[in-house]
Amino acid sequence: MSVVMSAPNGISSMSSSMTMSAPPSASSTPPPSAPPRQMYRKTVQTTIQAVAPETIRFTPSTTAAPGAHPYEDPTISFGSAQSKQIIEDASRLLQEGKCVAFPTETVYGLGADATSSDAVQSIFAAKSRPLDNPLIVHIASLKQLRRLLPGPFTPAKLPLLSTPPLNEEIIPEVYLPLIEKFWPGPLTILLPMGPTCSLSSNVTAGQPTFAARMPQHPIALALAAVSGLPLAAPSANASGKPSPTIAAHVWTDLAGKLPLIIDGGSASVGLESTVVDGLRFPPVVLRPGGISIEELRSVGGVWAHTVVARRTDEDSAAAPRAPGMKYKHYSPRAGVVLYEVGAEPPSANQLTRSNNTRIGILRTRTWPEGFAARNLAAYIKEGGQVGEETEIIEESLGTDGKDIGRALFRALRWLDEKEVDVIHVEGIEETDEGLAVMNRLGKAASVVVRNVQ
């Protein structure tokens, strides 16, 4: 019998035979030996093209009124002719009703024209996504957002507590403090659907509201700006799988189902946006994400009373009001065992249960490096039986909440590539970024080990 321990940093311990592996890095080319793809109606040729995000810049419009939001109607410029050409080519594909995958600061998105039912339907088909799961609309400016809302408008002023209400503003006033503080960024707001709204009904899945956000990533902003389209864009993965944080992840799931993947490097947040409903009191976080509930409450006013949607709301048989609420999500092929804070780490019996021979370990804040290998070594010394080639593949997600969120999906996909049988994950406290991390792990897990104390 040999115990094999693999670690991304090449440091391993407590093993009689070692192999070392690391998660895949961002790449502008597909893997050399990609697995065969399932047919998707008509298979299309998928290409990956790299764009350097720093070559795209947005500056406030010179005609914007004093005090207007910098993204009221910004001007886009390119520092690279190649980046400009790729964005223009991608925008033409979007205008033709095709899907394009692109990076955002949260995860990679699969975008299409949100006003075209056929284009939106192609998103659902490519992902095998349930039709009652609504999509988020991505916009590049407040001016673009207002085209989706009813009534006349004037440019939004940044809200100050000492100023009177902006009665002429058609963006619901409750959201203006959030827009000032968090846009562009990983925050999605729920807005009312007007009777003349141009969005496809497929975007909202029949709901009376639609979800919108202004992404921070220059490539996502550029596509919405240059195409002139609001872009419906869920994560660019096969439905239910871990969200993609590099272009290679998109290729693995969706090659042959879309013409273009834009590689803009790794996602900086690594978890999807926070979705909030401010059309009710108290405001509700429908999906935790890149903006924490503590950050929302710090805005003050009605947002000081923000609550998180109850799990009973998420598990309801009714159509979900926002993405990520209803269905099993973020799941690798291997079974995930989640250990809540304070629960004992897996024993040798738990590690080898169900004849698991390839065992994945994701550590965060308290599990010591190499503990699983030491547990198995002690178990064998005491006469326990372990398979001849039991392999432990271990990775640390870090200890900082932002680092853990950034690494989570990438690590789950890496362990899938290693063909592990089971993944044991150390959970973290559900505060700050931890709420979103545990939300994703809770939906991915098939077993949750609780702290009985």
Side-chain angles (χ1 to χ4, degrees), residues 2-43:
S2 66
V3 177
V4 181
M5 179 178 173
S6 304
N9 59 9
I11 301 174
S12 52
S13 60
M14 294 299 294
S15 61
S16 55
S17 174
M18 307 282 183
T19 64
M20 293 176 288
S21 306
S25 59
S27 171
S28 60
T29 58
S33 57
R37 307 293 167 195
Q38 293 183 346
M39 292 297 292
Y40 158 69
R41 295 186 182 176
K42 182 176 71 174
T43 301

Side-chain angles (χ1 to χ4, degrees), residues 318-408:
R321 289 185 289 145
M325 290 190 69
K326 180 177 179 180
Y327 295 97
K328 185 175 176 64
H329 280 73
Y330 322 116
S331 300
R333 288 188 295 270
V336 173
V337 182
L338 171 62
Y339 293 75
E340 293 188 344
V341 172
E344 290 293 325
S347 64
N349 278 328
Q350 290 171 309
L351 291 171
T352 57
R353 188 172 295 166
S354 302
N355 297 318
N356 294 320
T357 58
R358 295 178 65 81
I359 302 163
I361 303 288
L362 294 180
R363 298 182 288 108
T364 56
R365 292 171 174 165
T366 65
W367 290 1
E369 181 179 350
F371 81 91
R374 290 191 290 273
N375 284 355
L376 284 182
Y379 179 69
I380 294 167
K381 188 175 182 179
E382 294 170 0
Q385 298 297 312
V386 176
E388 290 185 2
E389 192 62 28
T390 297
E391 182 175 3
I392 297 172
I393 304 174
E394 176 182 315
E395 181 181 5
S396 171
L397 299 178
T399 58
D400 177 76
K402 291 186 183 297
D403 290 340
I404 293 168
R406 190 177 299 115
L408 176 60

